[in-house]
């Protein structure tokens, strides 16, 4: 284990000051950016913004001027130098500079400069050759890698990046971002079209993973064409007839044409609770509004015909009741369309749990000349959907003990297959299975393009044609996963944007009473080629150099952190059930990639038992769940504290859950207190806390809820082996003097007033955690 030499440590920028205003602004803005962002590769919950990750790693690697008195002896010189570093940081966090090599190289140069100081300081260390090589930066590790923002930004800043996580979906995301692209960086595409151009004399000027991205698009297009041959009949076009235009003059421009469907809009149904209509399935529709766009309004109008009904589509301003559909209150409160009888939650749950909840088509959305075209449902369209017969279903059971999943709410969802229509299951199995076919095509073409015939697979470090085919297959499988996010019965129609809303519009799988069934072969929201385009844009934005490694490991026992720089974003107590949610994707990834990563996808579901969250249903009670979280997190943080490179502080993101409204200073959660306890137990001293406001206030999960509002960045150093004890009087005296100086500095302009209360925790924790023990004696 590394010798502890606190006397040779220099304080880092993040332990003294940060330009929080710039970091917060860039982080919040990034939440609305998509093109080239990791969130477009694959969904992960509570992913940290790249701007915050980049700023934190830079801040923990770069010396604060006050710790370099030989270069900046006077306080005034330190202020000037600190402002210069702030200038680099302000440039570094801007989204536009994510791939700006000039800006990035400035940041890398400062990191190397501080590292060389550390190496010079520790030239006499008994393991200096191993630990303090001025020509090689220490490697980086995130033991709770999740969505991969921190390892990715460490790689971008010039560090060898290591990511580990217990969850196989998270591990795959990290492999796709930091491990696979560098392996094939700079290579031209292997597909025949690109090779033909190169053979004709065209030069390949692509950088980084641009060749890989081109092949993902090419073979993804091959998959789309093959899928259409196999299942295109299940996705018919809409015939605009003369009869339709007679009733709807707005359809006149499309008379006699066949329009590609964007989505089929369905409402779930139950038999009417009114005995007079007990044989009739009535809709549970939360809204009849199709488009709320000004000047393009459209809605569904139910038409009662005897003991039945049909749906007519109207254009123009919807009547007042259309927005409510047949819903009468929050939850499963509806009314019978035929009798106006109340349909109560208990009745809906009883019918759905008995397998008696159905669905009815209420409208069809098609591609128009300059927008969407809404048409009435037809019996033919409904019959085509019902004719689908999936050859395989993900029949793994859903967890019915948690309300994070719709299966835990008593609406008749028992297995993952229950979240999809038969037609969606046919589409998803078709595209998942075509990943295997695409790999064979890619390997053949890669051999023809000159890659070696090495049999070494990707998982074992291979770089030949076989490994390359598997690498492209990873991204194609992730595209199929993205498709699942849009092709489920939890996907809804967003009438404000006229588009399909994905399954995970929040960090849960909620109940959707009416849903949008997207068309893989259209060119609008949720289509297959669109998923490929997002992935391709992300690949070309990844760093052009550096190596990365992603592995599956338990944070409480991992040894990857040994002598590495560590920044991590652990689970947030009980806020997100990552493992339960990730099974939605895992069941499809396993079908596509089990042969590529047999160890990663060996189990039928993502690991649950060792997941470090405070889960009452899993542990048996809230008290036991808190103990499980505290003990496990203490072990995980201790692993970090014992292994981290001593020259650099550890930084830990933790989500701060609070009410945020005018006049409300905030209320901390049990999770925050428990997490701080775990950090202290691990032997860490906290040398700083920084609040970073990384969430948008208008996201669905945040509307009117006690949602995650800030990430508190804890800056930690291993507590000295000879840490003293203190009396309460000594502690309070030190705290008062330290806080007064620290708060005065923060108020001088470095910290915005809204962040002052949380930032002030840092100096206080620094005093409290410097002691081995506090005693009550006066």
């Amino acid at each position: 284990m590394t010798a502890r030499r606190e006397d040779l440590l220099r304080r880092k920028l993040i332990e003294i000051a940060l330009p929080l205003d710039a970091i917060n602004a860039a982080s919040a803005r990034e939440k609305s950016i998509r093109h080239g962002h990791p969130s477009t590769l694959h969904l992960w919950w509570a992913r940290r913004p790249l701007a915050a990750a980049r700023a934190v790693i830079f801040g923990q690697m770069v010396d604060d001027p006050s710790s370099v008195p030989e270069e900046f002896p006077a306080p005034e010189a330190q202020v000037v130098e600190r402002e210069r570093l702030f200038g680099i940081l302000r440039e570094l966090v801007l989204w536009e500079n994510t791939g700006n090599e000039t800006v990035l190289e400035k940041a890398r140069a400062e990191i190397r400069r501080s590292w060389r100081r550390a190496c010079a300081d520790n030239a006499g260390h008994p393991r200096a050759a191993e630990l303090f090589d001025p020509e090689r930066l220490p490697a980086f590790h995130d033991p709770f890698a999740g969505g991969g923002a921190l390892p990715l930004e460490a790689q971008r800043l010039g560090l060898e990046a290591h990511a580990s996580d217990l969850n196989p979906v998270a591990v795959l995301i990290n492999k796709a971002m930091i491990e696979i692209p560098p392996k094939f960086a700079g290579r031209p595409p292997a597909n025949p079209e690109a090779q033909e151009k190169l053979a004709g004399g065209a030069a390949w000027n692509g950088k980084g993973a641009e060749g890989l991205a081109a092949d993902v698009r090419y073979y993804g297009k091959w998959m789309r064409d093959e899928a259409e041959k196999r299942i295109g009949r299940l996705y018919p076009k809409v015939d605009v007839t003369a009869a339709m235009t007679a009733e709807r003059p707005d359809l006149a421009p499309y008379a006699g044409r066949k329009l590609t469907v964007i989505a089929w809009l369905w409402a779930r149904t139950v038999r009417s609770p009114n005995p007079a209509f007990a044989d009739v399935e009535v809709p549970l529709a939360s809204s009849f509004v199709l488009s709320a766009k000004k000047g393009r309004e459209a809605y569904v109008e139910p038409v009662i015909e005897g003991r039945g009904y049909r749906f007519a589509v109207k254009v123009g301003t919807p009547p007042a009741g259309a927005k409510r559909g047949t819903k009468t209150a929050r939850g499963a409160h509806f009314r019978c369309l035929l009798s106006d009888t109340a349909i109560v939650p208990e009745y809906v749950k009883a019918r759905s749990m008995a397998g008696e909840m159905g669905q009815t088509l209420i409208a069809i959305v098609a591609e128009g000349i300059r927008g969407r075209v809404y048409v009435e449902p037809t019996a033919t369209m409904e019959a085509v959907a019902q004719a689908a017969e999936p050859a395989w279903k993900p029949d793994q059971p859903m967890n019915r003990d948690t309300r994070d999943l719709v299966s835990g709410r008593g609406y008749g969802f028992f297995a993952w297959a229950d979240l999809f229509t038969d037609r969606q299951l046919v589409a998803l199995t078709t595209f998942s299975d075509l990943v295997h076919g695409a790999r064979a095509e890619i390997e053949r073409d890669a051999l023809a393009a000159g890659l070696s015939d090495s049999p070494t697979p990707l998982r074992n470090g291979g770089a030949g044609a076989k490994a390359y085919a598997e690498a492209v297959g990873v991204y194609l499988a992730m595209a199929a996963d993205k498709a699942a996010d849009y092709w489920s019965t939890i996907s809804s129609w967003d009438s404000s944007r006229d588009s399909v809303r994905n399954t995970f519009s929040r960090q849960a799988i909620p109940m959707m009473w009416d849903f949008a069934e997207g068309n893989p072969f259209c060119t609008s929201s949720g289509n297959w080629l669109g998923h490929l385009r997002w992935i391709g844009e992300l690949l070309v934005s990844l760093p052009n150099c550096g190596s990365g490694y992603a592995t599956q490991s338990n944070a409480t026992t991992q040894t990857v952190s040994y002598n590495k720089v560590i920044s991590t974003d652990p689970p947030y107590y009980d806020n997100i059930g990552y493992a339960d949610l990730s099974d939605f994707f895992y069941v499809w990834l396993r079908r596509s990639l089990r042969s590529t990563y047999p160890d990663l996808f060996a189990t039928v579901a993502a690991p649950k038992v060792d997941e470090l969250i405070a889960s009452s249903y899993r542990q048996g009670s809230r008290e036991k769940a808190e103990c499980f979280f505290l003990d496990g997190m203490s072990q995980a943080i201790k692993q970090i504290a014992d292994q981290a490179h001593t020259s650099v502080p550890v930084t830990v993101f933790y989500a701060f859950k609070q009410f945020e409204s005018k006049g409300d200073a905030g209320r901390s959660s049990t999770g925050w207190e428990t997490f701080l306890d775990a950090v202290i137990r691990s032997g860490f001293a906290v040398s700083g806390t920084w609040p970073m406001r990384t969430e948008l206030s208008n996201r669905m999960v945040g509307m009117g809820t006690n949602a995650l509002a800030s990430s508190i960045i804890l800056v930690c150093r291993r507590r000295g082996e000879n840490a003293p004890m203190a009396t309460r009087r000594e502690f309070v005296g030190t705290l008062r003097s330290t806080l007064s100086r620290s708060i005065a500095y923060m108020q001088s302009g470095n910290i915005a007033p809204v962040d002052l209360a949380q930032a002030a925790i840092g100096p206080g924790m620094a005093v409290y955690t410097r002691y081995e023990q506090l005693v009550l004696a006066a």
Side-chain angles (χ1 to χ4, degrees), residues 510-558:
M511 182 60 182
M512 284 294 168
W513 300 107
D514 26 42
F515 61 91
E517 185 182 14
N519 182 357
F521 307 112
C522 72
T523 59
S524 300
S525 60
N527 76 89
W528 173 255
L529 293 180
H531 300 315
L532 292 172
R533 184 177 65 254
W534 289 115
I535 291 174
E537 289 184 358
L538 179 275
L539 281 172
V540 300
S541 73
L542 294 176
N544 292 329
C545 60
S547 55
Y549 306 90
T551 55
Q552 185 180 26
S553 65
N554 188 327
T556 63
T557 57
Q558 61 82 22

Coordinates of all heavy atoms in Angstrom, one line a residue, residues 510-558:
P510 N -43.6 4.1 -15.3 CA -45.0 4.5 -14.7 C -46.1 3.7 -15.5 O -45.8 3.1 -16.5 CB -45.0 6.0 -14.9 CG -44.3 6.2 -16.2 CD -43.2 5.2 -16.2
M511 N -47.3 3.9 -15.1 CA -48.4 3.4 -15.9 C -48.8 4.4 -16.9 O -48.9 5.6 -16.7 CB -49.6 3.1 -15.0 CG -50.8 2.5 -15.7 SD -50.4 0.9 -16.5 CE -51.9 0.5 -17.3
M512 N -49.0 3.9 -18.2 CA -49.5 4.8 -19.3 C -50.8 4.2 -19.7 O -50.9 3.0 -20.2 CB -48.5 4.8 -20.4 CG -47.3 5.7 -20.1 SD -47.8 7.5 -20.0 CE -46.3 8.2 -19.3
W513 N -51.9 5.0 -19.7 CA -53.2 4.5 -20.0 C -53.4 4.5 -21.5 O -54.1 3.7 -22.1 CB -54.3 5.3 -19.3 CG -54.1 5.2 -17.8 CD1 -53.7 6.2 -17.0 CD2 -54.4 4.0 -17.1 NE1 -53.7 5.7 -15.7 CE2 -54.1 4.4 -15.7 CE3 -54.9 2.7 -17.3 CZ2 -54.2 3.5 -14.7 CZ3 -55.0 1.8 -16.3 CH2 -54.7 2.2 -15.0
D514 N -52.8 5.5 -22.2 CA -52.8 5.5 -23.6 C -51.4 5.6 -24.1 O -50.6 6.3 -23.5 CB -53.7 6.7 -24.2 CG -53.8 7.9 -23.3 OD1 -52.7 8.2 -22.7 OD2 -54.9 8.4 -23.2
F515 N -51.0 4.9 -25.2 CA -49.6 4.8 -25.6 C -49.5 5.0 -27.1 O -50.5 4.8 -27.8 CB -49.0 3.5 -25.1 CG -49.6 2.3 -25.6 CD1 -49.2 1.7 -26.8 CD2 -50.7 1.7 -24.9 CE1 -49.7 0.5 -27.2 CE2 -51.2 0.5 -25.4 CZ -50.8 -0.1 -26.5
A516 N -48.3 5.3 -27.5 CA -48.0 5.5 -28.9 C -47.1 4.3 -29.4 O -46.0 4.1 -28.8 CB -47.3 6.8 -29.1
E517 N -47.6 3.6 -30.4 CA -46.8 2.5 -30.9 C -46.1 3.0 -32.2 O -46.7 3.2 -33.3 CB -47.7 1.3 -31.3 CG -47.0 0.1 -31.8 CD -47.9 -1.0 -32.2 OE1 -49.1 -0.8 -32.3 OE2 -47.4 -2.2 -32.3
G518 N -44.8 3.3 -32.1 CA -44.0 3.8 -33.2 C -43.7 2.9 -34.3 O -43.8 1.7 -34.2
N519 N -43.4 3.5 -35.4 CA -43.1 2.7 -36.7 C -41.6 2.7 -36.9 O -41.0 3.8 -37.1 CB -43.8 3.3 -37.9 CG -43.6 2.6 -39.1 OD1 -42.8 1.6 -39.2 ND2 -44.2 3.0 -40.2
P520 N -40.9 1.6 -36.8 CA -39.5 1.5 -37.0 C -39.0 2.0 -38.4 O -37.9 2.5 -38.5 CB -39.1 0.0 -36.9 CG -40.3 -0.6 -36.2 CD -41.5 0.2 -36.5
F521 N -39.9 2.0 -39.3 CA -39.5 2.2 -40.7 C -40.0 3.6 -41.2 O -39.8 3.9 -42.4 CB -40.1 1.2 -41.7 CG -39.8 -0.2 -41.2 CD1 -40.8 -1.1 -40.7 CD2 -38.5 -0.7 -41.2 CE1 -40.5 -2.4 -40.3 CE2 -38.2 -2.0 -40.8 CZ -39.2 -2.8 -40.3
C522 N -40.4 4.5 -40.3 CA -40.8 5.9 -40.7 C -39.5 6.7 -40.6 O -38.4 6.2 -40.3 CB -41.9 6.4 -39.8 SG -41.3 6.8 -38.1
T523 N -39.6 8.0 -40.8 CA -38.4 8.9 -40.7 C -38.6 9.9 -39.6 O -37.9 10.9 -39.5 CB -38.2 9.6 -42.1 OG1 -39.4 10.4 -42.4 CG2 -37.9 8.6 -43.2
S524 N -39.6 9.6 -38.8 CA -39.9 10.6 -37.7 C -39.5 10.0 -36.3 O -38.8 9.0 -36.3 CB -41.4 10.9 -37.7 OG -41.8 11.5 -38.9
S525 N -40.0 10.5 -35.3 CA -39.6 10.2 -33.9 C -39.6 8.7 -33.6 O -40.6 8.0 -33.9 CB -40.4 11.0 -32.9 OG -41.8 10.6 -32.9
G526 N -38.5 8.2 -33.0 CA -38.5 6.8 -32.6 C -38.1 5.8 -33.7 O -38.1 4.6 -33.5
N527 N -37.8 6.3 -34.9 CA -37.5 5.4 -36.0 C -36.1 4.8 -35.8 O -35.2 5.3 -35.2 CB -37.7 6.0 -37.4 CG -36.5 7.0 -37.7 OD1 -35.5 6.6 -38.3 ND2 -36.7 8.2 -37.3
W528 N -35.8 3.6 -36.5 CA -34.6 2.9 -36.4 C -33.4 3.7 -36.8 O -32.3 3.8 -36.1 CB -34.6 1.6 -37.1 CG -33.3 0.9 -37.2 CD1 -32.5 0.8 -38.2 CD2 -32.7 0.1 -36.1 NE1 -31.4 0.0 -37.9 CE2 -31.5 -0.4 -36.6 CE3 -33.1 -0.1 -34.8 CZ2 -30.6 -1.1 -35.8 CZ3 -32.2 -0.9 -34.0 CH2 -31.0 -1.4 -34.5
L529 N -33.5 4.3 -38.0 CA -32.3 5.1 -38.5 C -32.0 6.3 -37.6 O -30.8 6.7 -37.5 CB -32.6 5.6 -39.9 CG -32.7 4.4 -41.0 CD1 -33.0 5.0 -42.4 CD2 -31.4 3.6 -41.0
G530 N -33.0 6.8 -37.0 CA -32.7 7.9 -36.0 C -31.9 7.5 -34.9 O -31.0 8.3 -34.4
H531 N -32.1 6.3 -34.4 CA -31.3 5.8 -33.2 C -29.9 5.7 -33.7 O -28.9 6.0 -32.9 CB -31.9 4.5 -32.8 CG -33.3 4.6 -32.2 ND1 -33.7 5.6 -31.4 CD2 -34.4 3.8 -32.5 CE1 -35.0 5.4 -31.1 NE2 -35.4 4.3 -31.8
L532 N -29.7 5.2 -34.9 CA -28.3 5.0 -35.4 C -27.6 6.4 -35.6 O -26.4 6.5 -35.3 CB -28.3 4.3 -36.8 CG -28.8 2.9 -36.8 CD1 -28.9 2.4 -38.2 CD2 -27.8 2.0 -36.1
R533 N -28.4 7.4 -36.0 CA -27.8 8.7 -36.2 C -27.3 9.3 -34.9 O -26.2 9.8 -34.8 CB -28.8 9.6 -36.8 CG -28.3 11.0 -37.1 CD -29.3 11.9 -37.8 NE -30.5 12.2 -36.9 CZ -31.7 11.7 -37.1 NH1 -31.9 10.8 -38.0 NH2 -32.6 12.0 -36.2
W534 N -28.1 9.1 -33.8 CA -27.7 9.6 -32.5 C -26.4 9.0 -32.1 O -25.4 9.6 -31.6 CB -28.8 9.4 -31.5 CG -30.0 10.2 -31.6 CD1 -31.2 9.8 -31.9 CD2 -30.1 11.6 -31.4 NE1 -32.1 10.8 -31.9 CE2 -31.5 12.0 -31.6 CE3 -29.2 12.6 -31.1 CZ2 -31.9 13.3 -31.5 CZ3 -29.7 13.9 -31.0 CH2 -31.0 14.2 -31.2
I535 N -26.3 7.6 -32.2 CA -25.1 6.9 -31.8 C -23.9 7.3 -32.6 O -22.8 7.5 -32.1 CB -25.3 5.4 -31.9 CG1 -26.4 4.9 -30.9 CG2 -24.0 4.6 -31.7 CD1 -26.8 3.5 -31.0
G536 N -24.1 7.5 -33.9 CA -23.0 7.9 -34.8 C -22.4 9.3 -34.4 O -21.2 9.5 -34.4
E537 N -23.3 10.2 -34.0 CA -22.9 11.5 -33.7 C -22.1 11.5 -32.3 O -21.2 12.3 -32.2 CB -24.1 12.5 -33.5 CG -24.7 12.8 -34.9 CD -25.9 13.8 -34.7 OE1 -26.2 14.2 -33.6 OE2 -26.5 14.2 -35.8
L538 N -22.5 10.6 -31.4 CA -21.8 10.5 -30.2 C -20.4 9.9 -30.5 O -19.4 10.4 -29.9 CB -22.5 9.6 -29.2 CG -21.9 9.3 -27.8 CD1 -21.0 8.1 -27.9 CD2 -21.3 10.5 -27.2
L539 N -20.3 8.9 -31.3 CA -19.0 8.3 -31.6 C -18.0 9.3 -32.1 O -16.8 9.3 -31.7 CB -19.2 7.1 -32.5 CG -19.7 5.8 -31.9 CD1 -20.0 4.8 -33.0 CD2 -18.6 5.2 -30.9
V540 N -18.4 10.1 -33.0 CA -17.4 11.1 -33.6 C -17.0 12.2 -32.7 O -16.1 12.9 -32.9 CB -18.0 11.7 -34.9 CG1 -18.3 10.6 -36.0 CG2 -19.2 12.5 -34.7
S541 N -17.8 12.3 -31.6 CA -17.4 13.4 -30.6 C -16.5 12.9 -29.5 O -16.1 13.7 -28.6 CB -18.7 14.0 -30.0 OG -19.3 13.0 -29.1
L542 N -16.3 11.6 -29.4 CA -15.4 11.0 -28.4 C -14.0 11.4 -28.5 O -13.5 11.8 -29.6 CB -15.6 9.5 -28.4 CG -17.0 9.0 -28.0 CD1 -17.0 7.4 -28.1 CD2 -17.4 9.4 -26.6
P543 N -13.2 11.4 -27.4 CA -11.8 11.7 -27.5 C -11.0 11.0 -28.6 O -11.3 9.8 -28.8 CB -11.3 11.4 -26.1 CG -12.5 11.4 -25.2 CD -13.6 11.0 -26.1
N544 N -10.1 11.6 -29.2 CA -9.3 11.0 -30.3 C -8.1 10.1 -29.8 O -7.5 9.5 -30.6 CB -8.8 12.0 -31.2 CG -9.9 12.7 -32.0 OD1 -10.9 12.1 -32.3 ND2 -9.7 14.0 -32.3
C545 N -7.8 10.2 -28.5 CA -6.7 9.5 -28.0 C -7.0 9.0 -26.6 O -8.0 9.3 -26.0 CB -5.4 10.3 -28.0 SG -5.6 11.8 -27.0
G546 N -6.0 8.2 -26.0 CA -6.2 7.7 -24.7 C -6.8 6.3 -24.6 O -7.5 5.9 -25.6
S547 N -6.5 5.6 -23.6 CA -7.0 4.2 -23.5 C -8.0 4.2 -22.3 O -7.9 5.0 -21.4 CB -5.8 3.3 -23.2 OG -5.1 3.6 -22.1
G548 N -8.9 3.2 -22.4 CA -9.9 3.0 -21.4 C -10.2 1.6 -21.1 O -10.1 0.8 -22.0
Y549 N -10.7 1.3 -19.9 CA -11.0 -0.1 -19.6 C -12.3 -0.1 -18.7 O -12.4 0.7 -17.7 CB -9.9 -0.7 -18.8 CG -8.5 -0.6 -19.5 CD1 -7.7 0.5 -19.3 CD2 -8.2 -1.6 -20.4 CE1 -6.5 0.6 -20.0 CE2 -7.0 -1.5 -21.1 CZ -6.1 -0.4 -20.9 OH -5.0 -0.3 -21.6
A550 N -13.2 -0.9 -19.0 CA -14.5 -1.0 -18.2 C -14.6 -2.5 -17.8 O -14.5 -3.4 -18.6 CB -15.6 -0.6 -19.1
T551 N -14.9 -2.6 -16.5 CA -15.0 -4.0 -15.9 C -16.2 -4.0 -15.0 O -16.6 -3.0 -14.4 CB -13.7 -4.4 -15.1 OG1 -13.5 -3.4 -14.2 CG2 -12.6 -4.5 -16.1
Q552 N -16.7 -5.2 -14.7 CA -17.8 -5.4 -13.8 C -17.2 -5.8 -12.4 O -16.4 -6.8 -12.3 CB -18.7 -6.5 -14.2 CG -19.9 -6.7 -13.3 CD -20.9 -7.8 -13.8 OE1 -20.4 -8.7 -14.5 NE2 -22.1 -7.7 -13.5
S553 N -17.5 -5.0 -11.4 CA -17.0 -5.4 -10.1 C -17.8 -4.7 -9.0 O -18.5 -3.7 -9.3 CB -15.5 -4.9 -9.9 OG -15.4 -3.5 -10.0
N554 N -17.8 -5.3 -7.8 CA -18.5 -4.8 -6.7 C -17.7 -3.7 -6.0 O -16.5 -3.9 -5.7 CB -18.8 -5.9 -5.7 CG -19.7 -5.5 -4.6 OD1 -19.7 -4.4 -4.1 ND2 -20.5 -6.5 -4.1
A555 N -18.2 -2.5 -5.8 CA -17.5 -1.4 -5.3 C -17.0 -1.7 -3.9 O -16.0 -1.0 -3.4 CB -18.3 -0.1 -5.3
T556 N -17.6 -2.6 -3.1 CA -17.2 -2.8 -1.8 C -16.0 -3.7 -1.7 O -15.3 -3.8 -0.6 CB -18.3 -3.5 -1.0 OG1 -18.6 -4.8 -1.5 CG2 -19.6 -2.6 -1.0
T557 N -15.6 -4.4 -2.8 CA -14.5 -5.3 -2.8 C -13.5 -5.0 -3.9 O -12.4 -5.7 -3.9 CB -14.9 -6.8 -2.9 OG1 -15.7 -6.9 -4.1 CG2 -15.8 -7.2 -1.7
Q558 N -13.7 -4.1 -4.8 CA -12.9 -3.9 -5.9 C -11.5 -3.4 -5.5 O -11.3 -2.8 -4.5 CB -13.5 -2.9 -6.9 CG -13.8 -1.5 -6.3 CD -12.6 -0.6 -6.4 OE1 -11.6 -0.8 -7.1 NE2 -12.6 0.5 -5.5

